[in-house]
Amino acid sequence: MKSLFNHKYHTKFALLNLKFASSLSIIDDPPIFLGKYGRGSSPFDPIQFFSEYAKSRLCTITNTKVLHTHLLRTAVLQSNIFVANSLLDWYCKSAAMVDALKLFDLIPHPNIFSWNIMISGYNQNALFLNSWGIYCRMHSSGFEPSDITYGSVLSACTALRAPMFGKQVYSLAMKNGFFSNGFVRAGMIDLFAKTCSFVDALRVFHDVSCQNVVCWNAIISGAVKNEENWIALDIFRQMCSRKLVPNSYTFSSVLTACAAIEDIETGKGVQAWVIKCNAEDVFVGTALVDLYAKCRKMDEAVKKFSQMPIRNVVSWTAIISGFVKKDDSISAVKFFRDMRKTGEEVNNYTLTSVIAACTQPTMIEESTQIHCLILKTGFYLDAAVGAALINMYSKVGAADVSERVFQEMENLQNMGTWAAMASSYAQNQASGRATELFQKMLQESLKPDEFCTSSVLSIIGCLDFGRQIHCYALKSALGFYCSVGCSLSTMYSKCGSLEESYKVFLEIPAKDNVSWASMIAGFAEHGFADQALELFRDMLSDGVMPDNMTLNAGLTACAVLPSLKTGKEIHGYALRAGLGNDRVVGGALITMYSKCSALKLARSVFDVLPEKDQVAWSSLASGYAQNGYIEEAVLLFHHMLMADLAIDSFIVSSILGSIALLNKTSIGTQLHAHIIKMGLDSDVSVGSSLVTMFSKSGSIEDCCKVFDQIEEPDLIGWTAMIVSYAKNGRGAEALRVYEIMKKEGIKPDSVTFVAVLSACSHSGLVEEAHFHLHSMAKDYGIEPGYRHYACMVDLLGRAGRLEEAERFINDMPIEPDSLVWGTLLAACKVHGDIELGKRAAAKVMELEPYDAGAYISMSNICADVGQWEEVLKIRSQMKGIGVMKEPGWSFL
């Protein structure tokens, strides 16, 4: 019986073999099969035939239909489920899912393999909704799914981002006894991990103790994708402790986690294990390159990259991105060129990386070449590449080209390109264009995202428009983003509304270092340094680890107070945090110590900085200048020039201030020539300092020439010119400049009014002074301060109207201070009014008991009228309370 069965079996398929040969003769390349089956004597093996056909290049839709036609003629499809399933699999691999479904519907008794082939086929062709539909149809037909079924349909749910469907499938799998199946559990872990429910993924993983590496790989990979890198490393250690052997997939995920947190030591340990297990493939090698690149170990990254036998586009992109991160644009471009020479195809990630390398102004030629390549390869349609191009041209100073790229992009509905354009306007301080862009987005029914909103907020200076954007952010639920909240807080602070700034800051749900640094700096800049330091302490109490920006903000607050003790404490914290040699922190420390008159400490910090940038040099030079170490300031500036360091307007202004104090006109003239050579004479801060310097030497003509060179004089520049005229006794010209300033649309501040009243005082313009004093509050809402009232007292005193000056002081809306009474005392000395002088001196001594000036002035008044007993009495009084007269000195 057995021999008879074998005889029939071989006879049946021998005939089938011949029919196959005749049908296959019309296939494009028949020798592959005819040589083996068409003329051979061996019996036909359908399993081998279908397997080899699937592996060959003949598995196309045309050839599959030819085979289908032949099988229909032989009627074998109705009798052999293996043949039917094999043909069904060919259709799926040929992406002919419509034909596959027609064949599936004609199979009289499909088995579990038939259903699985259809589900997997739809998955392979990204028709995940159809995959779910077939599964539902299978379930309603009463078929019991296998682990392959559950795993495949869970993959479809993952692609559809449908966790509810996935939970239903997983519940059914557990009910049917698959709760410990590694393939099913891995699918569910992957589903939860990719749908932002990593906690649920962990719960599924920990439900059952599992020795299946696939499950461990799924949870480690899920942790990495959810940026839970520390958890990924911890799970990997647990996996190793259970003596499970990791594979290349495990190693690549773990190395990616090490790269994300820049844990080079753990990464090297994993690399050693990779070598031991001989588990390195292109993915592990790429992960190692990425690890070293992200840890800024580019020598090791290049060495590992050169050792890779096979490199893919991800490997090349990793090494290029590493050089970009290290600001080595030349090496990044070089590797990109080498990549092109190998013929490796680039992708959008490669292009965005190399575009980021070309953001230096010196690389405009390379950036143009990259742009041409993008146009040639068609990547200009990619939104990410277009956004990178916009950002690149913005940073090389070609904002007009950025705008042209933005206008030429077809996919203008992509929010990334709009955000890049908004950022470009912000970088180039084009607040008007940024505002227009934001309004245009709203007009075109686009919804600005957090990146667009943050960029626009960072540049606008109009409080009303800022409030409108704030309303939009609240309406669009963008206020929950830390970047938007931080930008709003900064905007309110910049516009002078510190209360609203702090209110927004408190509403930020998850404050990062940027938001803390912004708020601390806002308090310090608006004169609330105590509150700034209190906020810094609150940040530490909340467990936030300060970075260089928050430390910089805290040190700025210490400089404003000034508070040397707190500054030293922050310095100590910076040293413990390993940021003591950071360039940003170093510059802030030098400024803080300089403001606190601790120049030796400032110099010590400067000397130990490994990389002294422009800020460090400028801070120390300015510190010397502001603390009266004029020669040291000029000498340091000379060293900067000799070292060919970049000189900015800030340090030039500080040095000019020092030279003005020294009254060294010759040095000032030399520096003026150097300023013209550098092209800084049109800078408003430098021009204002030059005006002040020439004013000190009495050269009004030079003041006028310098002022005319300023491109756009600001309030400080105009005020400096008014002060120059006032100090040189030319009050009428000072008031004329003041009127011109107002016509230019520049509003005066309290300092400007001090200059105006001083000009009136030096020229005896009493009525004009009263007019401008009243104009302060009436026209500009500025309440007069002690210096303004002192100017009025000085004016009345110079005019000899001492009693009127006394009445003016008594009628002041604020309590007079020692400056006001001291001004009257000086006028009494000039005019020899001893009685009024005594009253003024008594007021000064009451307010400032240790002010030697009042005692000396009163003593001189008495001496002038021959009251030597009073002189001795005053001298004795000074000695009794310990008031010492400082010796006079002069530069002459």
Side-chain angles (χ1 to χ4, degrees), residues 110-135:
N111 60 10
I112 186 64
F113 299 104
S114 311
W115 291 99
N116 286 348
I117 289 169
M118 285 300 298
I119 294 172
S120 299
Y122 279 124
N123 281 357
Q124 291 165 11
N125 290 279
L127 299 171
F128 303 108
L129 200 58
N130 299 76
S131 178
W132 173 254
I134 285 290
Y135 168 74

PDB file of all heavy atoms in Angstrom, residues 110-135:
ATOM      1  N   PRO A 110      -9.454  28.104   3.749  1.00  0.00           N
ATOM      2  CA  PRO A 110      -8.186  28.744   4.178  1.00  0.00           C
ATOM      3  C   PRO A 110      -7.815  28.289   5.581  1.00  0.00           C
ATOM      4  O   PRO A 110      -8.685  28.100   6.434  1.00  0.00           O
ATOM      5  CB  PRO A 110      -8.505  30.234   4.140  1.00  0.00           C
ATOM      6  CG  PRO A 110      -9.987  30.320   4.267  1.00  0.00           C
ATOM      7  CD  PRO A 110     -10.538  29.097   3.609  1.00  0.00           C
ATOM      8  N   ASN A 111      -6.535  28.098   5.802  1.00  0.00           N
ATOM      9  CA  ASN A 111      -6.067  27.719   7.136  1.00  0.00           C
ATOM     10  C   ASN A 111      -5.408  28.919   7.822  1.00  0.00           C
ATOM     11  O   ASN A 111      -5.421  30.037   7.293  1.00  0.00           O
ATOM     12  CB  ASN A 111      -5.112  26.517   7.059  1.00  0.00           C
ATOM     13  CG  ASN A 111      -3.878  26.827   6.218  1.00  0.00           C
ATOM     14  OD1 ASN A 111      -3.634  27.991   5.849  1.00  0.00           O
ATOM     15  ND2 ASN A 111      -3.104  25.802   5.896  1.00  0.00           N
ATOM     16  N   ILE A 112      -4.818  28.676   8.987  1.00  0.00           N
ATOM     17  CA  ILE A 112      -4.230  29.767   9.756  1.00  0.00           C
ATOM     18  C   ILE A 112      -3.110  30.456   8.982  1.00  0.00           C
ATOM     19  O   ILE A 112      -2.910  31.666   9.070  1.00  0.00           O
ATOM     20  CB  ILE A 112      -3.713  29.235  11.119  1.00  0.00           C
ATOM     21  CG1 ILE A 112      -3.231  30.410  11.998  1.00  0.00           C
ATOM     22  CG2 ILE A 112      -2.589  28.230  10.922  1.00  0.00           C
ATOM     23  CD1 ILE A 112      -4.295  31.374  12.388  1.00  0.00           C
ATOM     24  N   PHE A 113      -2.384  29.659   8.139  1.00  0.00           N
ATOM     25  CA  PHE A 113      -1.306  30.258   7.350  1.00  0.00           C
ATOM     26  C   PHE A 113      -1.867  31.220   6.305  1.00  0.00           C
ATOM     27  O   PHE A 113      -1.258  32.238   5.997  1.00  0.00           O
ATOM     28  CB  PHE A 113      -0.480  29.154   6.679  1.00  0.00           C
ATOM     29  CG  PHE A 113       0.173  28.228   7.656  1.00  0.00           C
ATOM     30  CD1 PHE A 113      -0.326  26.950   7.875  1.00  0.00           C
ATOM     31  CD2 PHE A 113       1.280  28.636   8.382  1.00  0.00           C
ATOM     32  CE1 PHE A 113       0.253  26.103   8.796  1.00  0.00           C
ATOM     33  CE2 PHE A 113       1.882  27.782   9.301  1.00  0.00           C
ATOM     34  CZ  PHE A 113       1.368  26.514   9.514  1.00  0.00           C
ATOM     35  N   SER A 114      -3.018  30.893   5.750  1.00  0.00           N
ATOM     36  CA  SER A 114      -3.644  31.765   4.751  1.00  0.00           C
ATOM     37  C   SER A 114      -3.971  33.125   5.369  1.00  0.00           C
ATOM     38  O   SER A 114      -3.666  34.186   4.793  1.00  0.00           O
ATOM     39  CB  SER A 114      -4.926  31.124   4.214  1.00  0.00           C
ATOM     40  OG  SER A 114      -4.717  29.785   3.827  1.00  0.00           O
ATOM     41  N   TRP A 115      -4.586  33.087   6.528  1.00  0.00           N
ATOM     42  CA  TRP A 115      -4.934  34.345   7.208  1.00  0.00           C
ATOM     43  C   TRP A 115      -3.666  35.141   7.567  1.00  0.00           C
ATOM     44  O   TRP A 115      -3.610  36.360   7.368  1.00  0.00           O
ATOM     45  CB  TRP A 115      -5.720  34.051   8.482  1.00  0.00           C
ATOM     46  CG  TRP A 115      -7.103  33.504   8.232  1.00  0.00           C
ATOM     47  CD1 TRP A 115      -7.488  32.204   8.281  1.00  0.00           C
ATOM     48  CD2 TRP A 115      -8.274  34.256   7.883  1.00  0.00           C
ATOM     49  NE1 TRP A 115      -8.831  32.082   7.997  1.00  0.00           N
ATOM     50  CE2 TRP A 115      -9.338  33.330   7.753  1.00  0.00           C
ATOM     51  CE3 TRP A 115      -8.537  35.600   7.677  1.00  0.00           C
ATOM     52  CZ2 TRP A 115     -10.630  33.715   7.419  1.00  0.00           C
ATOM     53  CZ3 TRP A 115      -9.828  35.997   7.346  1.00  0.00           C
ATOM     54  CH2 TRP A 115     -10.854  35.065   7.222  1.00  0.00           C
ATOM     55  N   ASN A 116      -2.657  34.456   8.068  1.00  0.00           N
ATOM     56  CA  ASN A 116      -1.419  35.155   8.464  1.00  0.00           C
ATOM     57  C   ASN A 116      -0.714  35.783   7.263  1.00  0.00           C
ATOM     58  O   ASN A 116      -0.143  36.871   7.361  1.00  0.00           O
ATOM     59  CB  ASN A 116      -0.471  34.183   9.160  1.00  0.00           C
ATOM     60  CG  ASN A 116      -0.930  33.851  10.573  1.00  0.00           C
ATOM     61  OD1 ASN A 116      -1.822  34.500  11.117  1.00  0.00           O
ATOM     62  ND2 ASN A 116      -0.340  32.815  11.168  1.00  0.00           N
ATOM     63  N   ILE A 117      -0.748  35.067   6.124  1.00  0.00           N
ATOM     64  CA  ILE A 117      -0.116  35.620   4.910  1.00  0.00           C
ATOM     65  C   ILE A 117      -0.804  36.913   4.507  1.00  0.00           C
ATOM     66  O   ILE A 117      -0.151  37.909   4.154  1.00  0.00           O
ATOM     67  CB  ILE A 117      -0.171  34.587   3.759  1.00  0.00           C
ATOM     68  CG1 ILE A 117       0.798  33.440   4.048  1.00  0.00           C
ATOM     69  CG2 ILE A 117       0.177  35.258   2.432  1.00  0.00           C
ATOM     70  CD1 ILE A 117       0.633  32.248   3.108  1.00  0.00           C
ATOM     71  N   MET A 118      -2.125  36.957   4.579  1.00  0.00           N
ATOM     72  CA  MET A 118      -2.868  38.156   4.201  1.00  0.00           C
ATOM     73  C   MET A 118      -2.579  39.315   5.172  1.00  0.00           C
ATOM     74  O   MET A 118      -2.330  40.461   4.750  1.00  0.00           O
ATOM     75  CB  MET A 118      -4.369  37.877   4.169  1.00  0.00           C
ATOM     76  CG  MET A 118      -4.815  37.068   2.970  1.00  0.00           C
ATOM     77  SD  MET A 118      -4.448  37.872   1.395  1.00  0.00           S
ATOM     78  CE  MET A 118      -5.422  39.370   1.517  1.00  0.00           C
ATOM     79  N   ILE A 119      -2.576  39.040   6.457  1.00  0.00           N
ATOM     80  CA  ILE A 119      -2.315  40.090   7.451  1.00  0.00           C
ATOM     81  C   ILE A 119      -0.901  40.641   7.284  1.00  0.00           C
ATOM     82  O   ILE A 119      -0.685  41.854   7.244  1.00  0.00           O
ATOM     83  CB  ILE A 119      -2.531  39.540   8.880  1.00  0.00           C
ATOM     84  CG1 ILE A 119      -4.013  39.200   9.097  1.00  0.00           C
ATOM     85  CG2 ILE A 119      -2.067  40.557   9.920  1.00  0.00           C
ATOM     86  CD1 ILE A 119      -4.288  38.472  10.412  1.00  0.00           C
ATOM     87  N   SER A 120       0.078  39.731   7.143  1.00  0.00           N
ATOM     88  CA  SER A 120       1.469  40.157   6.961  1.00  0.00           C
ATOM     89  C   SER A 120       1.647  40.888   5.639  1.00  0.00           C
ATOM     90  O   SER A 120       2.422  41.856   5.550  1.00  0.00           O
ATOM     91  CB  SER A 120       2.404  38.936   7.009  1.00  0.00           C
ATOM     92  OG  SER A 120       2.323  38.292   8.250  1.00  0.00           O
ATOM     93  N   GLY A 121       0.939  40.420   4.596  1.00  0.00           N
ATOM     94  CA  GLY A 121       1.042  41.078   3.291  1.00  0.00           C
ATOM     95  C   GLY A 121       0.564  42.517   3.337  1.00  0.00           C
ATOM     96  O   GLY A 121       1.214  43.419   2.789  1.00  0.00           O
ATOM     97  N   TYR A 122      -0.559  42.732   3.990  1.00  0.00           N
ATOM     98  CA  TYR A 122      -1.047  44.104   4.133  1.00  0.00           C
ATOM     99  C   TYR A 122      -0.054  44.955   4.956  1.00  0.00           C
ATOM    100  O   TYR A 122       0.169  46.132   4.660  1.00  0.00           O
ATOM    101  CB  TYR A 122      -2.422  44.119   4.792  1.00  0.00           C
ATOM    102  CG  TYR A 122      -3.562  43.837   3.838  1.00  0.00           C
ATOM    103  CD1 TYR A 122      -4.463  42.797   4.069  1.00  0.00           C
ATOM    104  CD2 TYR A 122      -3.739  44.630   2.705  1.00  0.00           C
ATOM    105  CE1 TYR A 122      -5.505  42.542   3.188  1.00  0.00           C
ATOM    106  CE2 TYR A 122      -4.787  44.381   1.815  1.00  0.00           C
ATOM    107  CZ  TYR A 122      -5.666  43.337   2.062  1.00  0.00           C
ATOM    108  OH  TYR A 122      -6.697  43.111   1.185  1.00  0.00           O
ATOM    109  N   ASN A 123       0.522  44.364   5.986  1.00  0.00           N
ATOM    110  CA  ASN A 123       1.532  45.092   6.776  1.00  0.00           C
ATOM    111  C   ASN A 123       2.735  45.473   5.917  1.00  0.00           C
ATOM    112  O   ASN A 123       3.233  46.607   5.971  1.00  0.00           O
ATOM    113  CB  ASN A 123       2.006  44.243   7.954  1.00  0.00           C
ATOM    114  CG  ASN A 123       1.029  44.256   9.112  1.00  0.00           C
ATOM    115  OD1 ASN A 123       0.018  44.948   9.073  1.00  0.00           O
ATOM    116  ND2 ASN A 123       1.316  43.490  10.144  1.00  0.00           N
ATOM    117  N   GLN A 124       3.217  44.501   5.116  1.00  0.00           N
ATOM    118  CA  GLN A 124       4.391  44.748   4.281  1.00  0.00           C
ATOM    119  C   GLN A 124       4.145  45.854   3.267  1.00  0.00           C
ATOM    120  O   GLN A 124       5.073  46.558   2.865  1.00  0.00           O
ATOM    121  CB  GLN A 124       4.796  43.464   3.554  1.00  0.00           C
ATOM    122  CG  GLN A 124       5.349  42.383   4.472  1.00  0.00           C
ATOM    123  CD  GLN A 124       5.403  41.030   3.808  1.00  0.00           C
ATOM    124  OE1 GLN A 124       5.218  40.906   2.587  1.00  0.00           O
ATOM    125  NE2 GLN A 124       5.640  39.989   4.598  1.00  0.00           N
ATOM    126  N   ASN A 125       2.908  46.032   2.862  1.00  0.00           N
ATOM    127  CA  ASN A 125       2.568  47.051   1.876  1.00  0.00           C
ATOM    128  C   ASN A 125       1.945  48.290   2.516  1.00  0.00           C
ATOM    129  O   ASN A 125       1.319  49.106   1.831  1.00  0.00           O
ATOM    130  CB  ASN A 125       1.620  46.465   0.829  1.00  0.00           C
ATOM    131  CG  ASN A 125       2.302  45.450  -0.064  1.00  0.00           C
ATOM    132  OD1 ASN A 125       2.982  45.819  -1.014  1.00  0.00           O
ATOM    133  ND2 ASN A 125       2.127  44.162   0.246  1.00  0.00           N
ATOM    134  N   ALA A 126       2.132  48.420   3.843  1.00  0.00           N
ATOM    135  CA  ALA A 126       1.693  49.595   4.594  1.00  0.00           C
ATOM    136  C   ALA A 126       0.187  49.821   4.522  1.00  0.00           C
ATOM    137  O   ALA A 126      -0.281  50.958   4.669  1.00  0.00           O
ATOM    138  CB  ALA A 126       2.436  50.844   4.122  1.00  0.00           C
ATOM    139  N   LEU A 127      -0.581  48.747   4.308  1.00  0.00           N
ATOM    140  CA  LEU A 127      -2.044  48.844   4.300  1.00  0.00           C
ATOM    141  C   LEU A 127      -2.542  48.310   5.642  1.00  0.00           C
ATOM    142  O   LEU A 127      -3.202  47.262   5.723  1.00  0.00           O
ATOM    143  CB  LEU A 127      -2.608  48.041   3.121  1.00  0.00           C
ATOM    144  CG  LEU A 127      -2.157  48.519   1.738  1.00  0.00           C
ATOM    145  CD1 LEU A 127      -2.582  47.522   0.658  1.00  0.00           C
ATOM    146  CD2 LEU A 127      -2.725  49.895   1.429  1.00  0.00           C
ATOM    147  N   PHE A 128      -2.245  49.060   6.681  1.00  0.00           N
ATOM    148  CA  PHE A 128      -2.462  48.561   8.032  1.00  0.00           C
ATOM    149  C   PHE A 128      -3.941  48.491   8.392  1.00  0.00           C
ATOM    150  O   PHE A 128      -4.351  47.603   9.159  1.00  0.00           O
ATOM    151  CB  PHE A 128      -1.708  49.452   9.032  1.00  0.00           C
ATOM    152  CG  PHE A 128      -0.236  49.538   8.753  1.00  0.00           C
ATOM    153  CD1 PHE A 128       0.311  50.706   8.241  1.00  0.00           C
ATOM    154  CD2 PHE A 128       0.585  48.450   8.964  1.00  0.00           C
ATOM    155  CE1 PHE A 128       1.658  50.785   7.973  1.00  0.00           C
ATOM    156  CE2 PHE A 128       1.942  48.520   8.696  1.00  0.00           C
ATOM    157  CZ  PHE A 128       2.490  49.691   8.196  1.00  0.00           C
ATOM    158  N   LEU A 129      -4.750  49.380   7.839  1.00  0.00           N
ATOM    159  CA  LEU A 129      -6.179  49.316   8.115  1.00  0.00           C
ATOM    160  C   LEU A 129      -6.786  48.062   7.499  1.00  0.00           C
ATOM    161  O   LEU A 129      -7.670  47.425   8.097  1.00  0.00           O
ATOM    162  CB  LEU A 129      -6.859  50.574   7.576  1.00  0.00           C
ATOM    163  CG  LEU A 129      -8.227  50.908   8.176  1.00  0.00           C
ATOM    164  CD1 LEU A 129      -8.124  51.071   9.694  1.00  0.00           C
ATOM    165  CD2 LEU A 129      -8.784  52.192   7.563  1.00  0.00           C
ATOM    166  N   ASN A 130      -6.303  47.681   6.319  1.00  0.00           N
ATOM    167  CA  ASN A 130      -6.772  46.440   5.697  1.00  0.00           C
ATOM    168  C   ASN A 130      -6.318  45.235   6.513  1.00  0.00           C
ATOM    169  O   ASN A 130      -7.043  44.243   6.625  1.00  0.00           O
ATOM    170  CB  ASN A 130      -6.217  46.336   4.276  1.00  0.00           C
ATOM    171  CG  ASN A 130      -6.684  47.472   3.390  1.00  0.00           C
ATOM    172  OD1 ASN A 130      -6.190  48.579   3.515  1.00  0.00           O
ATOM    173  ND2 ASN A 130      -7.635  47.205   2.497  1.00  0.00           N
ATOM    174  N   SER A 131      -5.119  45.333   7.075  1.00  0.00           N
ATOM    175  CA  SER A 131      -4.627  44.250   7.930  1.00  0.00           C
ATOM    176  C   SER A 131      -5.552  44.060   9.129  1.00  0.00           C
ATOM    177  O   SER A 131      -5.902  42.925   9.485  1.00  0.00           O
ATOM    178  CB  SER A 131      -3.206  44.576   8.405  1.00  0.00           C
ATOM    179  OG  SER A 131      -2.718  43.577   9.268  1.00  0.00           O
ATOM    180  N   TRP A 132      -5.975  45.159   9.739  1.00  0.00           N
ATOM    181  CA  TRP A 132      -6.906  45.081  10.868  1.00  0.00           C
ATOM    182  C   TRP A 132      -8.249  44.499  10.419  1.00  0.00           C
ATOM    183  O   TRP A 132      -8.865  43.694  11.134  1.00  0.00           O
ATOM    184  CB  TRP A 132      -7.085  46.467  11.467  1.00  0.00           C
ATOM    185  CG  TRP A 132      -8.143  46.534  12.537  1.00  0.00           C
ATOM    186  CD1 TRP A 132      -9.385  47.084  12.429  1.00  0.00           C
ATOM    187  CD2 TRP A 132      -8.063  45.996  13.857  1.00  0.00           C
ATOM    188  NE1 TRP A 132     -10.082  46.939  13.598  1.00  0.00           N
ATOM    189  CE2 TRP A 132      -9.295  46.271  14.501  1.00  0.00           C
ATOM    190  CE3 TRP A 132      -7.085  45.310  14.563  1.00  0.00           C
ATOM    191  CZ2 TRP A 132      -9.552  45.886  15.809  1.00  0.00           C
ATOM    192  CZ3 TRP A 132      -7.346  44.928  15.874  1.00  0.00           C
ATOM    193  CH2 TRP A 132      -8.576  45.218  16.480  1.00  0.00           C
ATOM    194  N   GLY A 133      -8.687  44.875   9.215  1.00  0.00           N
ATOM    195  CA  GLY A 133      -9.952  44.360   8.704  1.00  0.00           C
ATOM    196  C   GLY A 133      -9.922  42.851   8.486  1.00  0.00           C
ATOM    197  O   GLY A 133     -10.895  42.138   8.806  1.00  0.00           O
ATOM    198  N   ILE A 134      -8.814  42.349   7.960  1.00  0.00           N
ATOM    199  CA  ILE A 134      -8.686  40.893   7.760  1.00  0.00           C
ATOM    200  C   ILE A 134      -8.687  40.165   9.096  1.00  0.00           C
ATOM    201  O   ILE A 134      -9.295  39.089   9.255  1.00  0.00           O
ATOM    202  CB  ILE A 134      -7.390  40.580   6.980  1.00  0.00           C
ATOM    203  CG1 ILE A 134      -7.578  40.937   5.505  1.00  0.00           C
ATOM    204  CG2 ILE A 134      -7.010  39.119   7.099  1.00  0.00           C
ATOM    205  CD1 ILE A 134      -8.526  40.025   4.753  1.00  0.00           C
ATOM    206  N   TYR A 135      -8.013  40.756  10.088  1.00  0.00           N
ATOM    207  CA  TYR A 135      -7.992  40.130  11.411  1.00  0.00           C
ATOM    208  C   TYR A 135      -9.404  40.062  11.983  1.00  0.00           C
ATOM    209  O   TYR A 135      -9.811  39.020  12.541  1.00  0.00           O
ATOM    210  CB  TYR A 135      -7.074  40.910  12.347  1.00  0.00           C
ATOM    211  CG  TYR A 135      -7.227  40.493  13.795  1.00  0.00           C
ATOM    212  CD1 TYR A 135      -6.700  39.278  14.250  1.00  0.00           C
ATOM    213  CD2 TYR A 135      -7.943  41.279  14.699  1.00  0.00           C
ATOM    214  CE1 TYR A 135      -6.865  38.876  15.565  1.00  0.00           C
ATOM    215  CE2 TYR A 135      -8.111  40.882  16.018  1.00  0.00           C
ATOM    216  CZ  TYR A 135      -7.573  39.682  16.450  1.00  0.00           C
ATOM    217  OH  TYR A 135      -7.760  39.275  17.745  1.00  0.00           O
TER     218      TYR A 135
END
